[in-house]
PDB file of all heavy atoms in Angstrom:
ATOM      1  N   ILE B 350      40.923 -36.329 -61.019  1.00 96.00           N
ATOM      2  CA  ILE B 350      41.946 -35.457 -60.528  1.00 96.00           C
ATOM      3  C   ILE B 350      41.436 -34.839 -59.226  1.00 96.00           C
ATOM      4  O   ILE B 350      42.223 -34.650 -58.241  1.00 96.00           O
ATOM      5  CB  ILE B 350      42.291 -34.441 -61.623  1.00 96.00           C
ATOM      6  CG1 ILE B 350      42.971 -35.152 -62.746  1.00 96.00           C
ATOM      7  CG2 ILE B 350      43.219 -33.353 -61.084  1.00 96.00           C
ATOM      8  CD1 ILE B 350      43.111 -34.361 -64.007  1.00 96.00           C
ATOM      9  N   GLY B 351      40.116 -34.473 -59.186  1.00 96.00           N
ATOM     10  CA  GLY B 351      39.558 -33.900 -58.056  1.00 96.00           C
ATOM     11  C   GLY B 351      39.752 -34.837 -56.883  1.00 96.00           C
ATOM     12  O   GLY B 351      40.050 -34.449 -55.631  1.00 96.00           O
ATOM     13  N   PHE B 352      39.499 -36.181 -57.103  1.00 96.00           N
ATOM     14  CA  PHE B 352      39.698 -37.187 -56.104  1.00 96.00           C
ATOM     15  C   PHE B 352      41.064 -37.109 -55.469  1.00 96.00           C
ATOM     16  O   PHE B 352      41.311 -37.057 -54.317  1.00 96.00           O
ATOM     17  CB  PHE B 352      39.452 -38.604 -56.708  1.00 96.00           C
ATOM     18  CG  PHE B 352      39.718 -39.727 -55.742  1.00 96.00           C
ATOM     19  CD1 PHE B 352      38.783 -40.322 -54.958  1.00 96.00           C
ATOM     20  CD2 PHE B 352      41.033 -40.181 -55.692  1.00 96.00           C
ATOM     21  CE1 PHE B 352      39.107 -41.271 -54.181  1.00 96.00           C
ATOM     22  CE2 PHE B 352      41.469 -41.222 -54.897  1.00 96.00           C
ATOM     23  CZ  PHE B 352      40.433 -41.817 -54.085  1.00 96.00           C
ATOM     24  N   MET B 353      42.110 -37.149 -56.464  1.00 96.00           N
ATOM     25  CA  MET B 353      43.488 -37.152 -55.990  1.00 96.00           C
ATOM     26  C   MET B 353      43.823 -36.008 -55.083  1.00 96.00           C
ATOM     27  O   MET B 353      44.433 -36.043 -54.127  1.00 96.00           O
ATOM     28  CB  MET B 353      44.420 -37.243 -57.193  1.00 96.00           C
ATOM     29  CG  MET B 353      44.267 -38.438 -57.974  1.00 96.00           C
ATOM     30  SD  MET B 353      45.590 -38.530 -59.304  1.00 96.00           S
ATOM     31  CE  MET B 353      44.684 -39.204 -60.612  1.00 96.00           C
ATOM     32  N   PHE B 354      43.272 -34.733 -55.588  1.00 95.00           N
ATOM     33  CA  PHE B 354      43.527 -33.606 -54.884  1.00 95.00           C
ATOM     34  C   PHE B 354      42.972 -33.632 -53.406  1.00 95.00           C
ATOM     35  O   PHE B 354      43.614 -33.437 -52.452  1.00 95.00           O
ATOM     36  CB  PHE B 354      42.900 -32.400 -55.623  1.00 95.00           C
ATOM     37  CG  PHE B 354      43.323 -31.068 -55.182  1.00 95.00           C
ATOM     38  CD1 PHE B 354      44.556 -30.495 -55.624  1.00 95.00           C
ATOM     39  CD2 PHE B 354      42.493 -30.304 -54.357  1.00 95.00           C
ATOM     40  CE1 PHE B 354      44.951 -29.237 -55.177  1.00 95.00           C
ATOM     41  CE2 PHE B 354      42.849 -29.081 -53.950  1.00 95.00           C
ATOM     42  CZ  PHE B 354      44.053 -28.524 -54.359  1.00 95.00           C
ATOM     43  N   LEU B 355      41.673 -33.904 -53.388  1.00 95.00           N
ATOM     44  CA  LEU B 355      40.989 -33.887 -52.115  1.00 95.00           C
ATOM     45  C   LEU B 355      41.384 -35.001 -51.209  1.00 95.00           C
ATOM     46  O   LEU B 355      41.584 -34.766 -50.001  1.00 95.00           O
ATOM     47  CB  LEU B 355      39.471 -33.971 -52.312  1.00 95.00           C
ATOM     48  CG  LEU B 355      38.816 -32.880 -53.144  1.00 95.00           C
ATOM     49  CD1 LEU B 355      37.363 -33.112 -53.318  1.00 95.00           C
ATOM     50  CD2 LEU B 355      39.124 -31.442 -52.528  1.00 95.00           C
ATOM     51  N   PHE B 356      41.610 -36.142 -51.821  1.00 95.00           N
ATOM     52  CA  PHE B 356      42.032 -37.270 -51.060  1.00 95.00           C
ATOM     53  C   PHE B 356      43.377 -37.018 -50.371  1.00 95.00           C
ATOM     54  O   PHE B 356      43.704 -37.518 -49.264  1.00 95.00           O
ATOM     55  CB  PHE B 356      42.010 -38.574 -51.756  1.00 95.00           C
ATOM     56  CG  PHE B 356      42.172 -39.886 -50.906  1.00 95.00           C
ATOM     57  CD1 PHE B 356      41.073 -40.307 -50.086  1.00 95.00           C
ATOM     58  CD2 PHE B 356      43.406 -40.472 -50.815  1.00 95.00           C
ATOM     59  CE1 PHE B 356      41.253 -41.422 -49.359  1.00 95.00           C
ATOM     60  CE2 PHE B 356      43.507 -41.578 -50.024  1.00 95.00           C
ATOM     61  CZ  PHE B 356      42.491 -42.026 -49.278  1.00 95.00           C
ATOM     62  N   THR B 357      44.215 -36.407 -51.073  1.00 94.00           N
ATOM     63  CA  THR B 357      45.549 -36.059 -50.595  1.00 94.00           C
ATOM     64  C   THR B 357      45.546 -35.152 -49.487  1.00 94.00           C
ATOM     65  O   THR B 357      46.127 -35.358 -48.329  1.00 94.00           O
ATOM     66  CB  THR B 357      46.442 -35.408 -51.721  1.00 94.00           C
ATOM     67  OG1 THR B 357      46.451 -36.345 -52.799  1.00 94.00           O
ATOM     68  CG2 THR B 357      47.868 -35.251 -51.222  1.00 94.00           C
ATOM     69  N   ILE B 358      44.655 -34.100 -49.489  1.00 95.00           N
ATOM     70  CA  ILE B 358      44.442 -33.294 -48.321  1.00 95.00           C
ATOM     71  C   ILE B 358      43.946 -34.074 -47.103  1.00 95.00           C
ATOM     72  O   ILE B 358      44.481 -33.983 -46.042  1.00 95.00           O
ATOM     73  CB  ILE B 358      43.578 -32.100 -48.684  1.00 95.00           C
ATOM     74  CG1 ILE B 358      44.114 -31.253 -49.788  1.00 95.00           C
ATOM     75  CG2 ILE B 358      43.176 -31.264 -47.498  1.00 95.00           C
ATOM     76  CD1 ILE B 358      43.245 -30.032 -50.178  1.00 95.00           C
ATOM     77  N   GLY B 359      42.936 -34.873 -47.484  1.00 94.00           N
ATOM     78  CA  GLY B 359      42.371 -35.708 -46.381  1.00 94.00           C
ATOM     79  C   GLY B 359      43.374 -36.632 -45.736  1.00 94.00           C
ATOM     80  O   GLY B 359      43.408 -36.732 -44.566  1.00 94.00           O
ATOM     81  N   GLY B 360      44.151 -37.262 -46.623  1.00 93.00           N
ATOM     82  CA  GLY B 360      45.264 -38.234 -46.116  1.00 93.00           C
ATOM     83  C   GLY B 360      46.335 -37.512 -45.275  1.00 93.00           C
ATOM     84  O   GLY B 360      46.568 -37.904 -44.199  1.00 93.00           O
ATOM     85  N   LEU B 361      46.788 -36.364 -45.746  1.00 93.00           N
ATOM     86  CA  LEU B 361      47.841 -35.609 -45.094  1.00 93.00           C
ATOM     87  C   LEU B 361      47.325 -35.088 -43.680  1.00 93.00           C
ATOM     88  O   LEU B 361      48.119 -35.120 -42.682  1.00 93.00           O
ATOM     89  CB  LEU B 361      48.404 -34.537 -45.900  1.00 93.00           C
ATOM     90  CG  LEU B 361      49.209 -34.932 -47.153  1.00 93.00           C
ATOM     91  CD1 LEU B 361      49.674 -33.789 -47.954  1.00 93.00           C
ATOM     92  CD2 LEU B 361      50.454 -35.862 -46.661  1.00 93.00           C
ATOM     93  N   THR B 362      46.080 -34.690 -43.630  1.00 94.00           N
ATOM     94  CA  THR B 362      45.553 -34.184 -42.340  1.00 94.00           C
ATOM     95  C   THR B 362      45.374 -35.369 -41.474  1.00 94.00           C
ATOM     96  O   THR B 362      45.403 -35.258 -40.236  1.00 94.00           O
ATOM     97  CB  THR B 362      44.322 -33.385 -42.512  1.00 94.00           C
ATOM     98  OG1 THR B 362      43.370 -34.107 -43.307  1.00 94.00           O
ATOM     99  CG2 THR B 362      44.526 -31.988 -43.163  1.00 94.00           C
ATOM    100  N   GLY B 363      45.198 -36.506 -42.034  1.00 93.00           N
ATOM    101  CA  GLY B 363      45.091 -37.742 -41.247  1.00 93.00           C
ATOM    102  C   GLY B 363      46.403 -37.998 -40.466  1.00 93.00           C
ATOM    103  O   GLY B 363      46.393 -38.548 -39.341  1.00 93.00           O
ATOM    104  N   VAL B 364      47.452 -37.636 -41.015  1.00 93.00           N
ATOM    105  CA  VAL B 364      48.753 -37.704 -40.420  1.00 93.00           C
ATOM    106  C   VAL B 364      48.825 -36.998 -39.123  1.00 93.00           C
ATOM    107  O   VAL B 364      49.341 -37.425 -38.064  1.00 93.00           O
ATOM    108  CB  VAL B 364      49.992 -37.510 -41.327  1.00 93.00           C
ATOM    109  CG1 VAL B 364      51.323 -37.611 -40.561  1.00 93.00           C
ATOM    110  CG2 VAL B 364      49.970 -38.344 -42.541  1.00 93.00           C
ATOM    111  N   TYR B 365      48.307 -35.697 -39.106  1.00 94.00           N
ATOM    112  CA  TYR B 365      48.184 -34.990 -37.874  1.00 94.00           C
ATOM    113  C   TYR B 365      47.391 -35.682 -36.803  1.00 94.00           C
ATOM    114  O   TYR B 365      47.747 -35.752 -35.658  1.00 94.00           O
ATOM    115  CB  TYR B 365      47.380 -33.708 -38.185  1.00 94.00           C
ATOM    116  CG  TYR B 365      48.078 -32.633 -38.990  1.00 94.00           C
ATOM    117  CD1 TYR B 365      48.416 -32.828 -40.311  1.00 94.00           C
ATOM    118  CD2 TYR B 365      48.383 -31.364 -38.520  1.00 94.00           C
ATOM    119  CE1 TYR B 365      49.108 -31.931 -41.095  1.00 94.00           C
ATOM    120  CE2 TYR B 365      48.984 -30.427 -39.226  1.00 94.00           C
ATOM    121  CZ  TYR B 365      49.315 -30.683 -40.570  1.00 94.00           C
ATOM    122  OH  TYR B 365      49.966 -29.752 -41.310  1.00 94.00           O
ATOM    123  N   LEU B 366      46.261 -36.304 -37.200  1.00 94.00           N
ATOM    124  CA  LEU B 366      45.366 -36.955 -36.281  1.00 94.00           C
ATOM    125  C   LEU B 366      45.996 -38.224 -35.843  1.00 94.00           C
ATOM    126  O   LEU B 366      45.729 -38.744 -34.735  1.00 94.00           O
ATOM    127  CB  LEU B 366      44.006 -37.213 -36.885  1.00 94.00           C
ATOM    128  CG  LEU B 366      43.311 -35.909 -37.250  1.00 94.00           C
ATOM    129  CD1 LEU B 366      42.044 -36.260 -38.065  1.00 94.00           C
ATOM    130  CD2 LEU B 366      42.871 -35.159 -35.883  1.00 94.00           C
ATOM    131  N   ALA B 367      46.892 -38.810 -36.645  1.00 94.00           N
ATOM    132  CA  ALA B 367      47.557 -40.052 -36.193  1.00 94.00           C
ATOM    133  C   ALA B 367      48.637 -39.899 -35.206  1.00 94.00           C
ATOM    134  O   ALA B 367      49.107 -40.840 -34.619  1.00 94.00           O
ATOM    135  CB  ALA B 367      48.051 -40.819 -37.400  1.00 94.00           C
ATOM    136  N   SER B 368      49.139 -38.645 -35.075  1.00 93.00           N
ATOM    137  CA  SER B 368      50.093 -38.358 -34.147  1.00 93.00           C
ATOM    138  C   SER B 368      49.548 -38.126 -32.754  1.00 93.00           C
ATOM    139  O   SER B 368      48.695 -37.242 -32.630  1.00 93.00           O
ATOM    140  CB  SER B 368      50.888 -37.101 -34.569  1.00 93.00           C
ATOM    141  OG  SER B 368      51.104 -37.043 -35.918  1.00 93.00           O
ATOM    142  N   THR B 369      49.910 -38.972 -31.852  1.00 92.00           N
ATOM    143  CA  THR B 369      49.176 -38.955 -30.604  1.00 92.00           C
ATOM    144  C   THR B 369      49.128 -37.530 -29.869  1.00 92.00           C
ATOM    145  O   THR B 369      48.158 -37.168 -29.401  1.00 92.00           O
ATOM    146  CB  THR B 369      49.742 -39.903 -29.634  1.00 92.00           C
ATOM    147  OG1 THR B 369      51.187 -39.717 -29.601  1.00 92.00           O
ATOM    148  CG2 THR B 369      49.500 -41.356 -29.911  1.00 92.00           C
ATOM    149  N   GLY B 370      50.222 -36.849 -30.025  1.00 91.00           N
ATOM    150  CA  GLY B 370      50.288 -35.485 -29.398  1.00 91.00           C
ATOM    151  C   GLY B 370      49.346 -34.550 -30.025  1.00 91.00           C
ATOM    152  O   GLY B 370      48.559 -33.821 -29.333  1.00 91.00           O
ATOM    153  N   MET B 371      49.412 -34.409 -31.402  1.00 92.00           N
ATOM    154  CA  MET B 371      48.573 -33.583 -32.176  1.00 92.00           C
ATOM    155  C   MET B 371      47.112 -33.889 -31.881  1.00 92.00           C
ATOM    156  O   MET B 371      46.210 -33.054 -31.801  1.00 92.00           O
ATOM    157  CB  MET B 371      48.891 -33.586 -33.656  1.00 92.00           C
ATOM    158  CG  MET B 371      50.235 -33.196 -34.075  1.00 92.00           C
ATOM    159  SD  MET B 371      50.385 -31.427 -33.879  1.00 92.00           S
ATOM    160  CE  MET B 371      49.871 -30.914 -35.448  1.00 92.00           C
ATOM    161  N   ASP B 372      46.816 -35.178 -31.833  1.00 93.00           N
ATOM    162  CA  ASP B 372      45.453 -35.651 -31.714  1.00 93.00           C
ATOM    163  C   ASP B 372      44.754 -35.085 -30.508  1.00 93.00           C
ATOM    164  O   ASP B 372      43.607 -34.862 -30.447  1.00 93.00           O
ATOM    165  CB  ASP B 372      45.342 -37.152 -31.785  1.00 93.00           C
ATOM    166  CG  ASP B 372      43.901 -37.616 -31.784  1.00 93.00           C
ATOM    167  OD1 ASP B 372      43.227 -37.271 -32.848  1.00 93.00           O
ATOM    168  OD2 ASP B 372      43.475 -38.246 -30.815  1.00 93.00           O
ATOM    169  N   VAL B 373      45.573 -35.034 -29.374  1.00 93.00           N
ATOM    170  CA  VAL B 373      44.945 -34.450 -28.217  1.00 93.00           C
ATOM    171  C   VAL B 373      44.331 -32.989 -28.374  1.00 93.00           C
ATOM    172  O   VAL B 373      43.367 -32.686 -27.904  1.00 93.00           O
ATOM    173  CB  VAL B 373      46.023 -34.427 -26.978  1.00 93.00           C
ATOM    174  CG1 VAL B 373      45.466 -33.791 -25.728  1.00 93.00           C
ATOM    175  CG2 VAL B 373      46.414 -35.804 -26.731  1.00 93.00           C
ATOM    176  N   HIS B 374      45.127 -32.268 -29.199  1.00 94.00           N
ATOM    177  CA  HIS B 374      44.647 -30.958 -29.503  1.00 94.00           C
ATOM    178  C   HIS B 374      43.407 -31.038 -30.446  1.00 94.00           C
ATOM    179  O   HIS B 374      42.483 -30.289 -30.335  1.00 94.00           O
ATOM    180  CB  HIS B 374      45.737 -30.160 -30.192  1.00 94.00           C
ATOM    181  CG  HIS B 374      45.439 -28.789 -30.654  1.00 94.00           C
ATOM    182  ND1 HIS B 374      44.935 -27.762 -29.831  1.00 94.00           N
ATOM    183  CD2 HIS B 374      45.415 -28.240 -31.872  1.00 94.00           C
ATOM    184  CE1 HIS B 374      44.690 -26.714 -30.557  1.00 94.00           C
ATOM    185  NE2 HIS B 374      44.990 -26.975 -31.825  1.00 94.00           N
ATOM    186  N   PHE B 375      43.490 -31.816 -31.492  1.00 95.00           N
ATOM    187  CA  PHE B 375      42.426 -31.859 -32.513  1.00 95.00           C
ATOM    188  C   PHE B 375      41.360 -32.710 -32.191  1.00 95.00           C
ATOM    189  O   PHE B 375      40.211 -32.624 -32.938  1.00 95.00           O
ATOM    190  CB  PHE B 375      43.081 -32.355 -33.892  1.00 95.00           C
ATOM    191  CG  PHE B 375      44.011 -31.257 -34.512  1.00 95.00           C
ATOM    192  CD1 PHE B 375      45.216 -31.685 -34.988  1.00 95.00           C
ATOM    193  CD2 PHE B 375      43.520 -29.927 -34.675  1.00 95.00           C
ATOM    194  CE1 PHE B 375      46.027 -30.694 -35.561  1.00 95.00           C
ATOM    195  CE2 PHE B 375      44.404 -29.025 -35.312  1.00 95.00           C
ATOM    196  CZ  PHE B 375      45.559 -29.456 -35.687  1.00 95.00           C
TER     197      PHE B 375
END
Side-chain angles (χ1 to χ4, degrees):
Chain B
I350 292 171
F352 171 96
M353 293 185 221
F354 191 83
L355 300 179
F356 190 77
T357 305
I358 296 180
L361 290 177
T362 49
V364 178
Y365 289 63
L366 295 170
S368 318
T369 46
M371 296 289 272
D372 184 65
V373 175
H374 176 60
F375 287 130

